[in-house]
Amino acid sequence: MTIFKILVVTVAFLIPKDVTAQSSASLSGFITDQQTGQVLPGATVQLKETNKGTASDSSGYFQLNNIRPGSYTLVVSYIGYQSVSKYNVIVNSGSNPDMNISLKPSVNELGKISVAADPYEQPPETPLSRRKLSRVEIASYPGGNNDIAKVVQSLPGVSGSVGGFRNDVIIRGGAPSENVYYLDDIEIPVINHFATQGSAGGPVGLLNVSFFEGVNLSTSSFPANYDNVLSGVLQFNQRNGNTRDFGANMRIGASEAALTLEGPLFKSDKEKYSNTTFIASVRRSYLQLLFQLIDLPFLPDYWDYQYKVNHKIDKYNEIYITGIGAIDDFRINKPDNITAEQQSTLDQVPVIKQWSSTGGISWKHRFRSSDGYLQTSLSTSAFDNDFRRYRDNENKKGLLQRTESREWTTAIRSQYKQFWGDWTASAGLVAEHNNYSAQSLRVVDDVQFHTKLNFLRYGLSGQLTRKWYDERLSTSLGMRVDGNTFMVGGKEFWKNFSPRLAISYNLDPAGRWSINSSVGRYFKIPPSTILGFKNSSGDFVNQHTKYIRSDHLVAGVTYSPRTSTQFSLEGFWKRYDDYPVSIADSVSLANLGANFEIFGNESVKSVGKGRSYGLEFTYQQKLRDNFYGLLAYTLYWSEFTGFNTDRYYPSRWDNRHLLTFTGGYKLPKNWEIGTRIRVLGGAPYPSLNREATEVTYPTLSFDYSSLNENRLDMFNTLDVRIDKKWNFKKWSLNVFLEVTNVLGSNIPKPPEFGLQRNQMGRPVEPRKIVQIKDLDNSSTLPTIGVVIDI
């Protein structure tokens, strides 16, 4: 708390006087049809808290000038469409991103009386189990350190990793490998630095929050165009660069510094805006310097970049090019006065060097003669991983484990969508070429192989949606099939037939009460780390694995007492079949993937079963009376089998209880306070097989049949963030103080083990495994961040 007081005093001396009254700002954007993307000229745009308003021009473009910086509600209306209210729109004196707003056609129109759109409205394909966060909610998230992978852990049903060191996204008891991630329409294989190959989780997110228009999470009822998903789809919607002026965003946080540039390209002085824009960023970590300063046994060092170029060819055609990449280096650092806990970490932590890159181009063509469009994307992704572990990590001597691997995928995705009044039809295809190569060595279990894997993965999808009775009832029927050219039986794509049905009904004409349900079957191909594994004879022993199958049944009710507020209650049930089970450890791979090992690099059998079921309550409040918040409680059970399919064990993610609250309150003079509360029930963990570990150390051996015997204590944390914004004539400044674990709660973790050592720090003979004395890890961590917009 002494550090906390010093930081508060430091901020008090650094902050300038409030100059908001001396500055003004402008806000602009485009109004389009939600279905077709066509521009809407003559739409009315108003700032609710002021008398300022305007109308969109022939290109759907609007601009509001001379706005006092602050937070507003933007209301957009147009005859024949449902009006939209955008809450908590931040306007500052620096560069303000364009507001791109889409309006939904309304069938409930009487003369010139416009109907208000529900800000929580769900698409008919996904009428429940879907939540979204806005750009402002993402940027001001407390305890997230501007890390989008941590921000999504505030959404309902997402438990994350206990302790907060890793960003594994664990949804409703499903493994972290069961999710897919999209940057606009481009699938990205990883969203974290130092990612677990085959599973995507890691300690630090690699996506820049300055890019995002919003993020959508679907935890069930997946539209048919999404393939390879069992538990969750995370859709990161990027914004376009500023169409009018060049701008810059500089951010310094607890672990990194970031620079983002954006603006128009090829814009003349006579034009109000440009049809071509760009936004690009680069981030550099200084986490390794902090870790070295406080003498931790490992040093994570990383760079990343992100970019998007958007071009409107004409009113019917638009293209964008986007990409992300990262360079990671996870090094060893021996502290001068090393403790027993630090020594065990030094022994067991791997040495990792990685780089990843994803790039793609997408073209959207709107039909001239009908309401519909065709969108086609071409993308390529590469992930290079050098993973090593030594008997002597410090001096890199005595190689125990080495995997040098590279995954390279090239994919084309195309989706056709057509609107006919109350009907919507869509069809899609995906074709993906996968290339995986690896050299792998594990001394402990005598594994050594060199593999090269090339195969094609493909899929077809279709969805038909219908709205009935003045849009009070909506139904959606979807189906897809998937196949590949490598797995035995992979070409029999009809065996992976994946139907889904969603129904939603508004119980009253105003749509305040609604009931929703969905049922579906979903498939996921095992990752290349499983498919490419070879035995000592050089055989692809996992070629007979099957697609993992999951059947979902979800039903719920929602209540919206006003447009800014919504309550929902859902019940969900998931059943798994053909889950890979480790032959070496007799454990379902559904329990793995949340550490730094390579997920699935072993021999497996597709015989496992699983189930996850529970109830979920959610309350969400958009900004109203200066308050906004999201409260969610999930009660669930998560269980999987090994080779004995009659016996279910609780999974590593079976927390049972998950409570999260994220909210904020806006104070006068651009002050804001936000808070995050997380409570997780105790998760199961396996016992250490000490006898086996004494032989294999520093590789640990676990008894996974003990998962029903051990549980961690309940985990809870309170994080607080205080923001203060200043608006100068041409730029703005935001300084925030973020305090994680304000109450000093102890973070539960499984017991740690290491070798028994003598007074000189050398292992005694014969080797003996001892439990490391638990240390207090209940520290409160305050940090200061600075954001500058120009």
Side-chain angles (χ1 to χ4, degrees):
M1 292 308 293
T2 300
I3 298 176
F4 173 74
K5 292 175 183 178
I6 292 173
L7 287 174
V8 171
V9 173
T10 302
V11 173
F13 276 104
L14 288 176
I15 59 177
K17 294 181 179 179
D18 199 325
V19 293
T20 302
Q22 303 172 10
S23 57
S24 63
S26 62
L27 185 68
S28 62
F30 292 87
I31 313 299
T32 58
D33 184 296
Q34 186 185 91
Q35 294 181 344
T36 65
Q38 300 263 0
V39 299
L40 297 178
T44 301
V45 183
Q46 292 181 312
L47 286 181
K48 189 175 180 180
E49 294 82 358
T50 73
N51 59 358
K52 294 185 179 297
T54 188
S56 58
D57 64 15
S58 59
S59 300
Y61 179 79
F62 74 90
Q63 183 171 340
L64 291 164
N65 297 314
N66 300 318
I67 305 171
R68 179 185 173 91
S71 176
Y72 297 94
T73 300
L74 188 70
V75 181
V76 182
S77 56
Y78 191 68
I79 298 299
Y81 288 78
Q82 296 181 9
S83 63
V84 166
S85 295
K86 291 289 183 179
Y87 296 90
N88 201 11
V89 175
I90 303 296
V91 181
N92 59 50
S93 56
S95 176
N96 289 301
D98 287 337
M99 294 290 299
N100 298 312
I101 300 170
S102 58
L103 302 183
K104 178 184 176 182
S106 174
V107 299
N108 296 321
E109 196 75 28
L110 297 174
K112 295 186 178 181
I113 302 174
S114 61
V115 178
D118 180 4
Y120 301 101
E121 182 182 20
Q122 309 284 44
E125 302 89 346
T126 313
L128 72 179
S129 302
R130 185 175 186 266
R131 290 291 165 180
K132 54 187 176 182
L133 293 175
S134 69
R135 177 197 309 163
V136 175
E137 290 168 327
I138 294 170
S140 60
Y141 179 81
N145 190 29
N146 294 303
D147 188 335
I148 189 66
K150 283 187 172 64
V151 170
V152 299
Q153 293 179 14
S154 70
L155 293 171
V158 184
S159 61
S161 300
V162 172
F165 179 65
R166 286 177 57 88
N167 286 336
D168 301 291
V169 179
I170 300 161
I171 298 174
R172 289 180 172 177
S177 59
E178 296 178 9
N179 311 313
V180 294
Y181 308 96
Y182 282 83
L183 199 63
D184 294 330
D185 297 292
I186 306 297
E187 185 177 2
I188 50 178
V190 295
I191 61 171
N192 286 289
H193 291 281
F194 313 104
T196 300
Q197 189 172 6
S199 185
V204 183
L206 64 82
L207 300 175
N208 189 341
V209 296
S210 299
F211 269 69
F212 295 124
E213 190 74 39
V215 57
N216 294 321
L217 169 68
S218 300
T219 55
S220 190
S221 190
F222 310 120
N225 59 300
Y226 290 116
D227 58 310
N228 231 22
V229 56
L230 298 178
S231 278
V233 176
L234 268 165
Q235 176 77 48
F236 301 103
N237 299 316
Q238 297 182 108
R239 63 184 180 86
N240 297 332
N242 196 302
T243 59
R244 295 175 295 131
D245 304 302
F246 288 97
N249 174 278
M250 290 169 281
R251 189 178 70 248
I252 299 174
S255 60
E256 66 192 21
L259 173 64
T260 303
L261 302 175
E262 64 176 302
L265 295 174
F266 319 118
K267 175 180 173 291
S268 69
D269 294 337
K270 297 181 180 180
E271 294 176 319
K272 291 188 293 185
Y273 59 87
S274 174
N275 287 324
T276 308
T277 64
F278 82 96
I279 180 170
S281 76
V282 62
R283 297 193 304 173
R284 176 69 168 106
S285 161
Y286 47 78
L287 197 62
Q288 71 280 6
L289 303 177
L290 299 177
F291 277 32
Q292 192 164 28
L293 183 65
I294 59 179
D295 227 12
L296 291 181
F298 53 90
L299 305 175
D301 186 2
Y302 62 84
W303 287 83
D304 63 49
Y305 64 86
Q306 191 168 337
Y307 63 87
K308 181 179 182 182
V309 178
N310 194 81
H311 176 61
K312 294 181 179 179
I313 302 172
D314 54 37
K315 63 189 297 185
Y316 297 106
N317 295 278
E318 184 175 350
I319 62 171
Y320 70 81
I321 301 171
T322 190
I324 60 168
I327 301 173
D328 304 331
D329 188 2
F330 198 88
R331 305 192 306 273
I332 298 299
N333 174 53
K334 183 175 182 179
D336 293 331
N337 299 310
I338 192 166
T339 66
E341 184 182 40
Q342 289 174 330
Q343 182 65 61
S344 67
T345 301
L346 186 68
D347 291 343
Q348 299 165 28
V349 73
V351 179
I352 302 174
K353 291 182 182 291
Q354 292 180 351
W355 63 262
S356 63
S357 177
T358 297
I361 181 170
S362 183
W363 167 49
K364 187 173 185 177
H365 170 67
R366 302 179 184 92
F367 304 138
R368 294 174 181 265
S369 57
S370 62
D371 291 339
Y373 63 84
L374 176 68
Q375 182 144 2
T376 303
S377 302
L378 176 65
S379 64
T380 182
S381 295
F383 181 79
D384 188 278
N385 190 24
D386 187 337
F387 180 100
R388 304 184 186 217
R389 181 177 280 120
Y390 302 86
R391 290 192 184 278
D392 181 357
N393 263 339
E394 179 190 0
N395 299 302
K396 297 183 180 179
K397 293 181 179 180
L399 185 65
L400 290 174
Q401 185 176 353
R402 183 196 72 231
T403 296
E404 296 176 85
S405 62
R406 179 173 297 178
E407 294 183 64
W408 195 296
T409 61
T410 302
I412 184 169
R413 296 175 181 274
S414 188
Q415 185 180 24
Y416 160 86
K417 204 160 193 176
Q418 187 71 59
F419 306 95
W420 297 291
D422 292 329
W423 292 87
T424 301
S426 64
L429 64 85
V430 58
E432 180 182 272
H433 180 261
N434 290 264
N435 181 294
Y436 173 69
S437 61
Q439 296 185 50
S440 193
L441 166 71
R442 288 202 305 269
V443 175
V444 169
D445 48 0
D446 194 26
V447 169
Q448 185 171 3
F449 66 89
H450 181 202
T451 186
K452 286 189 176 180
L453 177 65
N454 287 277
F455 68 96
L456 181 67
R457 183 174 69 84
Y458 47 86
L460 297 172
S461 66
Q463 194 120 16
L464 187 63
T465 299
R466 172 73 157 93
K467 295 177 182 178
W468 315 75
Y469 311 121
D470 292 334
E471 299 191 355
R472 289 184 63 176
L473 172 67
S474 68
T475 57
S476 183
L477 176 65
M479 58 194 71
R480 68 171 297 116
V481 290
D482 291 280
N484 70 86
T485 59
F486 173 73
M487 296 165 63
V488 173
K491 295 180 181 179
E492 299 171 340
F493 56 85
W494 55 88
K495 292 185 177 180
N496 302 320
F497 177 63
S498 174
R500 65 222 45 204
L501 174 66
I503 301 175
S504 178
Y505 181 69
N506 291 334
L507 297 175
D508 60 299
R512 292 187 175 184
W513 286 92
S514 67
I515 53 174
N516 316 281
S517 63
S518 70
V519 60
R521 171 166 290 181
Y522 310 104
F523 289 92
K524 179 180 178 63
I525 189 173
S528 294
T529 50
I530 291 180
L531 299 180
F533 179 80
K534 287 184 175 180
N535 62 12
S536 56
S537 302
D539 301 321
F540 287 110
V541 294
N542 294 330
Q543 196 168 6
H544 286 81
T545 56
K546 301 177 182 179
Y547 278 74
I548 307 170
R549 192 182 85 195
S550 181
D551 297 327
H552 290 213
L553 175 62
V554 188
V557 59
T558 63
Y559 171 58
S560 301
R562 49 181 177 261
T563 57
S564 61
T565 308
Q566 187 183 79
F567 298 88
S568 68
L569 180 65
E570 291 183 14
F572 61 90
W573 177 79
K574 296 190 290 185
R575 186 186 69 183
Y576 296 88
D577 285 289
D578 301 326
Y579 224 108
V581 175
S582 167
I583 291 178
D585 295 321
S586 299
V587 62
S588 171
L589 265 63
N591 288 290
L592 307 179
N595 55 24
F596 290 103
E597 303 296 325
I598 296 172
F599 176 75
N601 193 28
E602 58 182 310
S603 181
V604 300
K605 292 291 184 181
S606 294
V607 296
K609 296 182 180 297
R611 58 196 181 199
S612 179
Y613 51 94
L615 292 170
E616 188 169 276
F617 168 80
T618 305
Y619 157 72
Q620 188 169 5
Q621 173 68 57
K622 297 293 184 180
L623 183 66
R624 181 184 174 91
D625 298 329
N626 295 324
F627 167 77
Y628 61 91
L630 175 63
L631 172 68
Y633 170 68
T634 308
L635 171 66
Y636 69 98
W637 289 260
S638 173
E639 303 165 325
F640 288 86
T641 72
F643 286 110
N644 182 356
T645 57
D646 293 326
R647 183 169 184 182
Y648 285 83
Y649 293 91
S651 78
R652 295 287 297 273
W653 334 116
D654 184 45
N655 296 91
R656 301 286 172 89
H657 302 279
L658 170 59
L659 174 68
T660 61
F661 171 76
T662 307
Y665 190 83
K666 291 185 176 291
L667 299 165
K669 296 185 178 182
N670 285 330
W671 285 90
E672 182 174 345
I673 183 168
T675 185
R676 178 184 73 155
I677 301 171
R678 288 183 70 209
V679 179
L680 276 74
Y685 65 91
S687 298
L688 185 76
N689 186 331
R690 295 200 186 202
E691 186 175 331
T693 300
E694 286 172 355
V695 177
T696 63
Y697 190 85
T699 301
L700 305 184
S701 179
F702 293 98
D703 176 12
Y704 287 97
S705 65
S706 64
L707 275 172
N708 59 349
E709 301 172 3
N710 308 309
R711 278 190 182 268
L712 299 175
D713 293 333
M714 181 173 286
F715 166 68
N716 66 86
T717 184
L718 169 65
D719 305 322
V720 174
R721 172 167 163 161
I722 301 173
D723 285 72
K724 169 61 177 167
K725 298 181 177 69
W726 294 268
N727 288 279
F728 300 90
K729 189 172 182 180
K730 294 292 185 180
W731 63 286
S732 66
L733 171 66
N734 179 19
V735 178
F736 62 88
L737 173 65
E738 194 168 71
V739 187
T740 57
N741 198 15
V742 173
L743 302 179
S745 302
N746 196 59
I747 301 172
K749 59 182 180 180
E752 294 190 21
F753 297 88
L755 290 178
Q756 186 178 28
R757 297 175 181 270
N758 59 26
Q759 292 182 347
M760 303 295 294
R762 296 173 181 170
V764 300
E765 293 293 343
R767 297 206 302 180
K768 183 178 181 181
I769 296 295
V770 295
Q771 183 174 338
I772 306 299
K773 182 180 179 181
D774 289 338
L775 297 178
D776 182 18
N777 60 357
S778 60
S779 59
T780 297
L781 180 62
T783 57
I784 292 178
V786 178
V787 181
I788 300 174
D789 284 291
I790 301 175

